[in-house]
């Protein structure tokens, strides 16, 4: 039963609960008209203290497509955070206006603070370099749709594994599925945080390797999950400039990959996937962004406890 719950970390949902969200997303994709009014009279608040295109707009599209309505803010500057209001006070106010809230914040743990002070469900739309659980729902629904299951594959995760919150959430979530091999491809400075390596990968006895060269493993991968170097998390511009083009997926590299490998990316993309790849049938990242809206429709329904009439 997901009604009334918060989603702050991907592990907040069991594998069975995730599957129930994915099954509902499947049904919505199949028969969207049947869900067009299920959230009539409900309000979603999007409280975004950091920039976003996909997460905020897919949440808003999701609620509107379910027949509900949306309100919110898209930057800290346009909210009373600019006057010094705390996340706690903002959340206690929003809870009087809306039925459910999606929040993005640059500070790790801010959506959790909101959830602890909220009588309405709070969904973490990304907190600093920490977690991004609804991107993970998007990623899992995409993998499940492309491969038919969430087990038995080798995934290469490439780019900024240190600051990339989508990477942290994805590894956590995938750690509960069988027979997945992780190949983690990054510069030395952008390797996964110790807590992901030690508490998730090693503690669960998962198969993984950490390497620097994408070319060395292209032919092994069933899924390549590319990520952008997270400019906004760097303390030093010179380090960002030095590392930003560490990986560029182009036709030459794709020629080394399996014919059925899928390329995923949470987006936004900067330089790490050449636009010449967009027409390759293995490029799944824009399809992935669309799945993000459907899975958020399913999640909103589950957390509000609404059902198709
Ligand atoms: N994937 C993702 O979180 O994109 P936005 O930053 O555009 O929301």
């Amino acid at each position: 039963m997901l009604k009334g719950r918060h989603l702050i970390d991907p592990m907040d949902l069991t594998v069975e609960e995730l599957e129930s969200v994915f099954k509902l997303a499947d049904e919505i994709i199949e028969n969207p008209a049947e869900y067009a009014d299920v959230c009539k009279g409900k309000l979603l608040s999007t409280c975004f203290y950091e920039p976003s295109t996909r997460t905020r707009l897919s949440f808003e599209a999701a609620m509107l497509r379910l027949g509900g309505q949306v309100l919110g803010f898209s930057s800290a500057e346009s909210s009373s955070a600019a006057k010094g209001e705390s996340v706690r006070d903002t959340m206690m106010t929003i809870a009087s206006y809306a039925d459910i809230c999606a929040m993005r914040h640059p500070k790790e743990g801010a959506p959790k603070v909101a959830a602890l002070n909220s009588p309405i469900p709070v969904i973490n739309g990304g907190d600093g370099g920490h977690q991004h659980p609804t991107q993970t729902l998007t990623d899992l629904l995409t993998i499940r749709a492309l491969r038919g299951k969430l087990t038995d594959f080798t995934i290469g995760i490439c780019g900024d594994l240190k600051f990339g919150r989508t990477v942290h959430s994805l590894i956590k979530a995938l750690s509960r599925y069988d027979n997945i091999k992780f190949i983690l491809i990054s510069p030395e400075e952008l390797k996964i945080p110790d807590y992901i390596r030690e508490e998730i990968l090693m503690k669960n006895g998962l198969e993984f390797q950490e390497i620097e060269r994408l070319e060395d493993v292209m032919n092994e991968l069933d899924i390549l999950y590319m990520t952008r170097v997270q400019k906004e998390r760097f303390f030093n511009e010179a380090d960002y400039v030095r590392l930003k083009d560490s990986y560029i997926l182009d036709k030459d590299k794709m020629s080394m990959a399996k014919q059925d490998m899928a390329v995923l990316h949470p987006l936004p993309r900067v330089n790490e996937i050449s636009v010449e790849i967009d027409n390759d049938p293995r490029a799944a990242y824009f399809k992935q962004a669309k799945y993000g809206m459907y899975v958020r429709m399913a999640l909103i329904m589950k957390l509000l406890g609404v059902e198709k009439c």
Side-chain angles (χ1 to χ4, degrees), residues 33 49 58 65 96 99 104-105 136 139 149 151 160 168 174 201 211 236 238 246 253 277 296:
Y49 295 81
S58 66
R65 283 174 181 268
S96 310
D99 301 291
R104 170 171 289 184
H105 202 288
T136 299
D139 302 340
K149 58 185 181 176
T151 57
D160 184 349
H168 309 155
L174 286 177
L201 294 166
I211 60 160
N236 175 334
S246 297
K253 291 198 188 71
I277 306 301
R296 289 180 175 103

Side-chain angles (χ1 to χ4, degrees), residues 46-52 55 73-76 79 81-82 85-88 90-91 102-114 122-132 165 232-233:
T46 50
C47 298
F48 276 56
Y49 295 81
E50 252 194 356
S52 168
T55 309
F73 53 86
S74 58
S75 67
S79 79
E85 186 171 54
S86 68
V87 165
R88 176 181 177 275
T90 300
M91 191 63 239
M103 177 178 287
R104 170 171 289 184
H105 202 288
K107 281 202 183 132
E108 303 185 352
K112 177 147 190 147
V113 169
V122 175
I123 303 167
N124 179 3
D127 61 326
H130 192 216
Q131 300 293 329
H132 193 344
R165 58 194 173 198
E232 63 274 32
R233 312 273 175 240

Side-chain angles (χ1 to χ4, degrees), residues 124-222:
N124 179 3
D127 61 326
H130 192 216
Q131 300 293 329
H132 193 344
T134 63
Q135 181 62 47
T136 299
L137 298 188
T138 301
D139 302 340
L140 297 186
L141 184 67
T142 307
I143 295 170
R144 182 177 167 277
L146 294 174
R147 299 186 57 80
K149 58 185 181 176
L150 284 165
T151 57
D152 308 296
F153 57 81
T154 297
I155 183 167
I157 305 181
C158 178
D160 184 349
L161 313 189
K162 178 179 180 182
F163 296 118
R165 58 194 173 198
T166 69
V167 169
H168 309 155
S169 288
L170 182 60
I171 294 173
K172 274 180 128 177
L174 286 177
S175 72
R176 298 181 294 183
Y177 294 90
D178 291 336
N179 198 25
I180 297 177
K181 179 177 175 186
F182 297 86
I183 303 184
L184 306 172
I185 308 140
S186 74
E188 183 64 29
E189 296 100 314
L190 299 179
K191 286 169 87 168
I192 49 164
D194 290 345
Y195 82 93
I196 296 286
R197 185 181 305 103
E198 285 158 23
E199 296 300 316
I200 307 296
L201 294 166
M202 293 170 81
K203 202 169 183 174
N204 291 298
L206 303 177
E207 190 176 353
F208 75 100
Q209 65 185 100
E210 296 182 86
I211 60 160
E212 286 201 31
R213 275 172 49 88
L214 178 57
E215 295 89 323
D216 292 349
V217 293
M218 274 304 274
N219 64 354
E220 292 179 45
L221 306 178
D222 300 304

